[in-house]
Amino acid sequence: FVLVTFFAVIGLGKLLGVTKKQSYLLASGTAICGGTAMASVAPVIKAKPEDLLPALSIIFILNALAVIFFPLLGNWLGLTEEQFGSWVALAIHDTASVIGAASVIGERAVEVSATLKLGRTLWIVPLVLFSAWYFREKREGLGFPVFILFFIIAVVLNSLLVPSEEINNILKTINKVCLLTGLFCIGTQIDRTAIQQISVKPLVLAVLVWAIVIPASLWVIQ
């Protein structure tokens, strides 16, 4: 699903006349992990600010809409928590927005979406390596997102220590606070200047691909 989405954006970008680097950024963000993937790959492909900022703004706006409308669609479609968690993990770009939408439905939806979204996010590593080869550029790091390491550590500790229900409730409260903080920070990335820099072709590309991804991911999880 990740690979098909990535190359679909690249192909449609060529048809629509979107620049190579903007198409690549949007493909990374749409297929893998939104702003995290785009920020990781941008230095590798030597993307200019005028390429990166509008692409980030488009993805952030779509994610903001997703947090609002996906839970409504999920309830209307009668999805179970497992189905909804899988759906948003495939269809929504950024991790914070995935978890935010899933949290409206229930804790089981959050667990499923977080696990599956991690699988998508791990694609950042081969993406950066492929990008360095494809664009023939060298980079000091791999752009590996640190939160994945914390996720793995948390899974290991939870398996070895088996925390009590009281500790779990405290951790869930911390999780909700961090989630709201993450969503707030996403909002701070969008301002009038960033929106004004968005051109029609990249916006059409992002919306068109998302219009395909949403029903396609729904079909995949059923």
Side-chain angles (χ1 to χ4, degrees):
F1 190 87
V2 169
L3 290 174
V4 170
T5 302
F6 183 87
F7 288 109
V9 179
I10 297 295
L12 288 172
K14 289 183 178 180
L15 292 176
L16 293 173
V18 180
T19 64
K20 181 179 180 180
K21 290 188 177 181
Q22 277 202 329
S23 293
Y24 201 89
L25 290 169
L26 288 171
S28 303
T30 303
I32 299 177
C33 190
T36 303
M38 296 164 76
S40 298
V41 79
V44 177
I45 67 174
K46 301 298 182 183
K48 297 179 180 179
E50 55 265 31
D51 293 321
L52 180 60
L53 185 58
L56 282 172
S57 299
I58 291 171
I59 295 299
F60 286 146
I61 291 171
L62 294 181
N63 277 275
L65 294 174
V67 175
I68 299 171
F69 290 107
F70 267 74
L72 298 176
L73 287 172
N75 286 327
W76 181 67
L77 293 169
L79 299 179
T80 65
E81 288 195 29
E82 288 81 4
Q83 288 176 324
F84 185 82
S86 300
W87 183 38
V88 296
L90 289 176
I92 300 178
H93 311 88
D94 279 299
T95 303
S97 298
V98 168
I99 307 302
S103 66
V104 177
I105 302 300
E107 290 186 7
R108 179 57 182 163
V110 172
E111 293 172 359
V112 172
S113 64
T115 304
L116 188 55
K117 188 65 174 70
L118 175 65
R120 278 180 67 193
T121 304
L122 286 170
W123 279 84
I124 290 179
V125 177
L127 170 69
V128 173
L129 293 173
F130 171 78
S131 301
W133 170 81
Y134 183 71
F135 286 88
R136 299 296 192 276
E137 297 288 350
K138 294 182 179 180
R139 174 181 166 83
E140 291 183 356
L142 291 180
F144 190 83
V146 178
F147 74 84
I148 290 181
L149 296 179
F150 282 102
F151 184 95
I152 295 172
I153 291 171
V155 170
V156 173
L157 291 177
N158 189 50
S159 301
L160 295 177
L161 301 179
V162 190
S164 64
E165 183 177 353
E166 181 180 353
I167 293 177
N168 272 328
N169 289 332
I170 293 174
L171 293 174
K172 288 177 181 178
T173 301
I174 295 173
N175 173 66
K176 290 179 180 178
V177 172
C178 292
L179 168 64
L180 292 173
T181 303
L183 292 174
F184 174 81
C185 291
I186 288 176
T188 62
Q189 303 303 308
I190 306 171
D191 56 21
R192 184 181 301 175
T193 302
I195 294 175
Q196 289 174 343
Q197 291 181 4
I198 297 175
S199 57
V200 175
K201 289 182 179 179
L203 178 60
V204 170
L205 172 61
V207 173
L208 178 60
V209 171
W210 207 34
I212 298 172
V213 166
I214 290 173
S217 56
L218 182 61
W219 175 76
V220 167
I221 59 95
Q222 289 183 336

